[in-house]
């Protein structure tokens, strides 16, 4: 029996919500097949504790999660109000939606919860600390909705794709668990699923090593968005990547040696091959990537370029990452305008992506082409509980106070010594 029009529309809305959280942070367009035209539910005011003032319908959990990870990477502790907001979005069974306007209303497990949002929230809550129960519930939810092939799809039960699988890998890694040991009922690991989306030596030379989001009509199509996410995940890392070391690891394209059936044999090799693909695409774009998702507008894909910087840095490809980062930092790139968001007030998700990329590549997010990204990110939400900069100021205040107090003590001591000598002279007279 064919599905009704209402059922198809419902699936489309769920698909749009699952995809849009990530897509709105780049210039990648949501495929027309899952586009959601109902945007009338925009809240009149931002929810207390939420970063950003734009409609959170699709990306509320995503942008909050990325904001926390970027802040954590720069020594900023978000306000408790903000952390409570994200934790409060979690559904009773541990999954996370794109956004819950009314947290008093139970979630609909069939349509309100998504692997991508759950994985991003788990990574963020693991980073801020003190939310172990929510992290465990989120991981349990991901484990319960792992597909037989070892991966995850846009929705629970949907076919696995590279991005959702990569996000889940990052969640387990962020919580200190080995993703390779997260086996499905079929005995498959997330890496087993992830590597099935990689193009091998049977692809054109320009696309070898790239990842596809998922097979389309049985064919894998190279996708920059998927490649950046999968490269980082294949290295066992999530959105937050520690700064690259001083040594530079050269990128090495997939070696085929005349074997059209050859593909990377393990996750590490897969990451290396995909990194080479990304570096080549970045060079072709003179430092940036173009959106590769069908229907995307022409022009730089800032979000995916930032993701590629993070991915290359994660693999130790410091030089390749630095070239793309230099482009993002340049005034000609107009990344600062992109980071302001559609409403011009600052997009926390976009700012966070730039912060994470800068830090991963060993740059200073507080001086990003003359812009303090951390300050701008902090300004999109509740005042942080503490910052490294603030702590330094406190130290300076403490030092000033200590110096003042020491001067007072010395002054009083001098008076006392003077008084003592004066009395002695009187006695001697």
């Amino acid at each position: 029996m064919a599905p009704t029009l209402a059922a198809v529309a419902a699936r489309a809305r769920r698909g749009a919500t699952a995809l849009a959280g990530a897509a709105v942070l780049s210039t990648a367009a949501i495929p027309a097949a899952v586009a959601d035209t109902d945007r009338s539910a925009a809240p009149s005011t931002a929810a207390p504790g939420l970063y950003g003032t734009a409609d959170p319908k699709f990306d509320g959990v995503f942008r909050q999660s990325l904001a926390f990870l970027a802040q954590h990477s720069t020594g900023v502790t978000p306000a408790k109000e903000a952390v409570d907001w994200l934790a409060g979005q979690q559904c009773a069974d541990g999954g996370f939606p794109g956004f819950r306007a009314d947290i008093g209303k139970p979630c609909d497990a069939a349509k309100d919860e998504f692997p991508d949002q759950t994985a991003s929230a788990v990574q963020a809550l693991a980073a801020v600390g003190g939310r172990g129960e929510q992290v465990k519930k989120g991981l349990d939810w991901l484990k319960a909705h792992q597909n037989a092939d070892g991966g995850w799809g846009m929705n629970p039960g949907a076919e696995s794709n590279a991005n959702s699988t990569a996000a889940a890998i990052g969640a387990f890694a962020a919580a200190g668990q080995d993703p390779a040991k997260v086996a499905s009922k079929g005995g498959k690991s997330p890496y087993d699923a992830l590597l099935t989306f990689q193009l091998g030596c049977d692809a054109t030379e320009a696309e070898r090593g790239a990842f596809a989001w998922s097979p389309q009509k049985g064919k894998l199509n190279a996708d920059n968005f998927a490649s950046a996410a999968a490269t980082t995940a294949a290295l066992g890392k999530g959105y937050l990547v520690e700064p690259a070391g001083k040594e530079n690891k050269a990128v090495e394209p997939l070696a085929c040696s005349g074997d059209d059936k050859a593909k990377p044999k393990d996750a590490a090799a897969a990451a290396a091959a995909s990194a080479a693909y990304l570096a080549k695409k970045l060079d072709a774009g003179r430092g940036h990537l173009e959106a590769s998702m069908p229907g995307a507008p022409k022009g730089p894909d800032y979000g995916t370029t930032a993701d590629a910087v993070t991915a290359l840095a994660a693999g130790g490809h410091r030089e390749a990452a630095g070239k793309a980062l230099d482009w993002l930092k340049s005034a000609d790139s107009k990344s600062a305008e992109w980071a302001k968001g559609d409403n011009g007030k600052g997009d926390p998700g976009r700012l966070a992506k730039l912060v994470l990329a800068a830090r991963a590549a060993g740059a200073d997010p507080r001086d990003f082409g003359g812009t303090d990204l951390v300050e701008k990110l902090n300004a999109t939400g509740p005042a942080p509980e503490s910052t490294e900069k603030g702590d330094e100021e406190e130290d300076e205040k403490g030092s000033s106070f200590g110096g003042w107090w020491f001067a007072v003590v010395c002054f009083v001591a001098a008076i006392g010594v003077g008084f003592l000598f004066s009395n002695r002279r009187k006695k001697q007279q």
Side-chain angles (χ1 to χ4, degrees), residues 42-61:
S44 58
T45 58
L50 174 64
Y51 281 72
T53 57
D55 180 3
K57 180 180 178 182
F58 292 131
D59 76 328
V61 166

Side-chain angles (χ1 to χ4, degrees), residues 332-357:
D332 292 340
S333 73
K334 298 183 180 180
S335 64
E337 291 299 313
W338 170 76
K340 290 180 180 179
D342 296 335
N343 63 6
K345 297 181 179 179
D347 186 302
R350 295 179 181 183
L351 286 164
K353 281 205 170 195
L354 293 178
V355 169
L356 291 169

Side-chain angles (χ1 to χ4, degrees), residues 301-335:
D301 187 338
Y302 298 97
T304 304
T305 298
D307 291 343
V309 170
T310 301
L312 289 168
H317 309 295
R318 188 182 181 92
E319 182 178 339
K323 289 180 181 179
L325 188 68
D326 286 343
W327 180 85
L328 285 169
K329 291 168 64 176
S330 70
D332 292 340
S333 73
K334 298 183 180 180
S335 64

Side-chain angles (χ1 to χ4, degrees), residues 38 141 192 377:
D38 179 14
W141 186 91
D192 290 325
L377 174 59

Side-chain angles (χ1 to χ4, degrees), residues 177-183 189-191:
Q177 297 187 26
D178 183 356
K181 296 181 180 179
V182 183
S189 80
Y191 296 117

Side-chain angles (χ1 to χ4, degrees), residues 4 14 23 40 62 81 92 108 110 117 122 143 158-159 161-162 179 204 243-244 248 273 361 410 414 428:
T4 65
R14 291 197 294 274
S40 60
F62 258 123
E81 176 187 22
D108 184 336
Q117 281 83 343
V122 165
K143 187 68 179 69
E159 290 185 1
N161 67 71
T204 63
N248 175 59
C410 290
Q428 290 173 354

Side-chain angles (χ1 to χ4, degrees), residues 234-402:
L235 293 166
K237 302 178 187 296
Y239 297 124
L240 176 57
V241 171
E242 291 303 313
K246 294 183 179 180
E247 294 184 5
N248 175 59
K249 185 177 181 180
V251 293
E252 297 181 4
L254 178 62
C256 294
S257 301
D259 184 0
D260 291 343
K261 296 183 180 180
K263 292 186 70 172
K265 297 181 179 180
D266 55 31
S274 185
Y277 163 79
L278 289 171
K280 190 171 183 178
K281 293 291 287 188
L282 287 165
D283 283 343
R286 297 184 179 181
H288 70 272
L289 297 172
E290 297 282 331
S292 59
M293 191 174 283
K298 293 182 179 180
D301 187 338
Y302 298 97
T304 304
T305 298
D307 291 343
V309 170
T310 301
L312 289 168
H317 309 295
R318 188 182 181 92
E319 182 178 339
K323 289 180 181 179
L325 188 68
D326 286 343
W327 180 85
L328 285 169
K329 291 168 64 176
S330 70
D332 292 340
S333 73
K334 298 183 180 180
S335 64
E337 291 299 313
W338 170 76
K340 290 180 180 179
D342 296 335
N343 63 6
K345 297 181 179 179
D347 186 302
R350 295 179 181 183
L351 286 164
K353 281 205 170 195
L354 293 178
V355 169
L356 291 169
R359 184 176 180 277
D364 183 4
R366 296 184 183 276
D367 185 11
F368 192 82
T371 298
D372 188 337
L373 295 175
V374 181
E375 181 179 44
K376 288 189 176 296
L377 174 59
N378 293 343
T380 65
E385 184 174 315
S386 65
T387 67
E388 282 188 350
K389 185 176 181 180
D391 291 342
E392 290 169 2
E393 290 174 351
E394 286 300 319
D395 289 342
E396 290 174 2
K397 290 178 182 178
S399 297
S400 298
F401 177 78

Side-chain angles (χ1 to χ4, degrees), residues 194-200 209-212 220 263-264 266 269-271 273-274:
L194 189 67
L195 268 60
T196 64
F197 304 118
Q198 189 167 34
L199 283 71
F211 278 84
L220 295 176
K263 292 186 70 172
D266 55 31
S274 185

